[in-house]
Amino acid sequence: MKRRLSTLLFLLGLLVACTSLYSCKSKADDMDRNERLLLLDAKIKQNPNDASLYYERGKVLLELEKVNDAISDFTKAVNLDNSKVEYFTALGDAYYMNGNIGESYAALQKALTLDSKNIEALLKMGEISFISKDYDRAMETLSKVTEIEADNIKAYQIKGFIYKETGDTANAIFYFRKIVDLHPDYVPAYEELGMIYAQHKDPLAIEYFNTAIQLQPDNINALYGMAMLYQDLENADKANEYYTRILELDPMNRYAWFNRGYMEMVLYEDYDAAIEFFTKAIDCDNQYYEAHYNRGYSYELKGDRSNARICYQTTLQIAPDYQPAKEALARVQ
């Protein structure tokens, strides 16, 4: 029932949530972008055959998450001027954001036809290939990047993720270590190395997580990795030390509350404390069905079948197919 940060969370931060440079905006930023959009609209009316204006407006539309409109503008740009690598790269990016992998590949291939050594286009091709699990294409493309830029962090990072996902731990470690050798202050590589070693309960994980925390004291990923490692080692005191630090930074971190509850329930057999922590996890996310289930199990272990039944019923309202809750509810009927 414990919750571990995975590569997916890093990818959401590094690759997916911002597949382009155009996401993650504030309301003030949106107002500014809308003003830029109005200005570009006016310019396009005056110069309807200026490809650069459609390209610029397409970038703003992507920032505003109007992906279909952005695709339309980037398509107009490449139709007016098919000599610009950046137009095809932007079009490929937008197609990917819209879930159209084939069109994305086609646009990026066109960009690379124009400039086979264009780093942005190669990296984007590598990213999309990796996320699409086209690992051979990803590795081939990323190798071209590192031939051109031997210290390109992103290329080595994606290679590390590929090897990690395919179970080649040795090569994953090789590439993440290469990153820290080239860029000693690059925190995500230390996080990844920490997680890989933590899977094997190797003390080297502590060293890597500590380095990440020293470089970035408020790094919740590294703090969480350290907490999980100590939890796996059944050192609840050290684990709680790091969960406490996480909750000081992020009081709504449901996983930290959940894991504290799990340790109270399993390691200390303090069911009242466990119930308290599972309740805090639920306060952070009332659809967190695992927390409802474990709160119910804590009630069951302390002999309170009535409250256990309520928690199990709630769990099944949220997740009707959750088998542990079905079995538990049958026990306390």
Side-chain angles (χ1 to χ4, degrees), residues 7-298:
T7 300
L8 178 59
L9 291 179
F10 292 101
L11 293 178
L12 286 172
L14 297 170
L15 303 172
V16 178
C18 296
T19 20
S20 68
L21 299 176
Y22 315 126
S23 301
C24 316
K25 300 160 286 294
S26 68
K27 290 182 179 179
D29 290 336
D30 283 347
M31 290 177 61
D32 180 59
R33 290 180 179 102
N34 281 315
E35 290 174 1
R36 287 162 53 200
L37 200 59
L38 289 172
L39 179 61
L40 285 164
D41 287 344
K43 288 184 176 181
I44 287 171
K45 285 182 181 179
Q46 294 176 350
N47 303 280
N49 294 318
D50 188 335
S52 67
L53 294 175
Y54 291 99
Y55 169 66
E56 291 299 328
R57 189 172 69 176
K59 290 195 294 181
V60 177
L61 288 165
L62 269 193
E63 292 172 358
L64 292 168
E65 298 180 0
K66 297 180 179 180
V67 181
N68 286 325
D69 291 338
I71 289 172
S72 178
D73 269 6
F74 291 141
T75 300
K76 182 71 172 178
V78 300
N79 286 337
L80 287 169
D81 182 355
N82 62 7
S83 67
K84 296 290 194 299
V85 173
E86 61 268 29
Y87 295 178
F88 285 102
T89 300
L91 180 60
D93 197 20
Y95 272 129
Y96 178 74
M97 292 176 71
N98 213 33
N100 194 329
I101 303 298
E103 293 290 349
S104 178
Y105 277 145
L108 291 169
Q109 288 285 17
K110 180 61 178 177
L112 292 169
T113 299
L114 293 170
D115 180 3
S116 63
K117 295 185 177 182
N118 185 276
I119 294 296
E120 183 181 358
L122 287 167
L123 281 174
K124 185 56 60 180
M125 178 72 81
E127 284 185 31
I128 293 173
S129 300
F130 164 56
I131 296 168
S132 304
K133 299 189 182 299
D134 187 351
Y135 298 134
D136 289 340
R137 190 201 299 251
M139 292 298 287
E140 179 183 356
T141 307
L142 295 166
S143 292
K144 292 178 182 177
V145 173
T146 53
E147 287 173 7
I148 300 165
E149 288 186 0
D151 63 345
N152 191 288
I153 291 177
K154 196 169 190 179
Y156 290 126
Q157 188 171 36
I158 300 172
K159 283 187 175 186
F161 284 139
I162 290 171
Y163 282 118
K164 184 178 177 183
E165 281 201 359
T166 55
D168 189 339
T169 301
N171 270 315
I173 289 171
F174 171 82
Y175 280 106
F176 291 125
R177 279 182 173 168
K178 190 173 186 68
I179 293 172
V180 299
D181 287 342
L182 292 168
H183 304 277
D185 294 336
Y186 192 67
V187 172
Y190 292 107
E191 295 172 17
E192 283 298 323
L193 287 164
M195 286 196 297
I196 290 171
Y197 283 107
Q199 289 175 357
H200 304 285
K201 299 182 182 180
D202 189 316
L204 271 174
I206 295 173
E207 180 182 335
Y208 284 118
F209 284 137
N210 267 333
T211 302
I213 294 166
Q214 288 168 6
L215 290 168
Q216 197 175 77
D218 61 351
N219 186 308
I220 288 178
N221 289 336
L223 291 167
Y224 190 91
M226 189 77 92
M228 282 299 305
L229 174 60
Y230 281 119
Q231 182 171 336
D232 288 343
L233 295 172
E234 298 188 359
N235 187 337
D237 290 342
K238 289 295 290 185
N240 273 323
E241 175 186 327
Y242 285 97
Y243 286 132
T244 298
R245 290 176 63 178
I246 291 169
L247 291 166
E248 288 170 353
L249 294 166
D250 178 14
M252 297 299 288
N253 191 299
R254 64 176 187 162
Y255 299 117
W257 288 121
F258 179 94
N259 285 358
R260 291 192 71 181
Y262 188 88
M263 287 191 296
E264 294 291 345
M265 180 178 71
V266 173
L267 299 181
Y268 293 132
E269 297 183 358
D270 186 339
Y271 305 125
D272 288 327
I275 289 165
E276 178 184 350
F277 288 131
F278 288 133
T279 299
K280 287 183 180 294
I282 292 165
D283 289 341
C284 296
D285 178 4
N286 63 10
Q287 297 300 297
Y288 194 179
Y289 64 88
E290 295 99 327
H292 285 284
Y293 169 78
N294 277 277
R295 182 168 66 173
Y297 191 45
S298 297

Side-chain angles (χ1 to χ4, degrees), residues 275-331:
I275 289 165
E276 178 184 350
F277 288 131
F278 288 133
T279 299
K280 287 183 180 294
I282 292 165
D283 289 341
C284 296
D285 178 4
N286 63 10
Q287 297 300 297
Y288 194 179
Y289 64 88
E290 295 99 327
H292 285 284
Y293 169 78
N294 277 277
R295 182 168 66 173
Y297 191 45
S298 297
Y299 276 120
E300 183 181 351
L301 289 171
K302 69 175 287 191
D304 187 341
R305 295 166 66 89
S306 176
N307 274 314
R309 187 181 309 116
I310 293 170
C311 292
Y312 294 146
Q313 289 170 340
T314 302
T315 303
L316 291 170
Q317 288 172 2
I318 300 168
D321 296 326
Y322 191 56
Q323 190 62 30
K326 291 181 181 180
E327 296 171 1
L329 186 58
R331 287 197 306 269

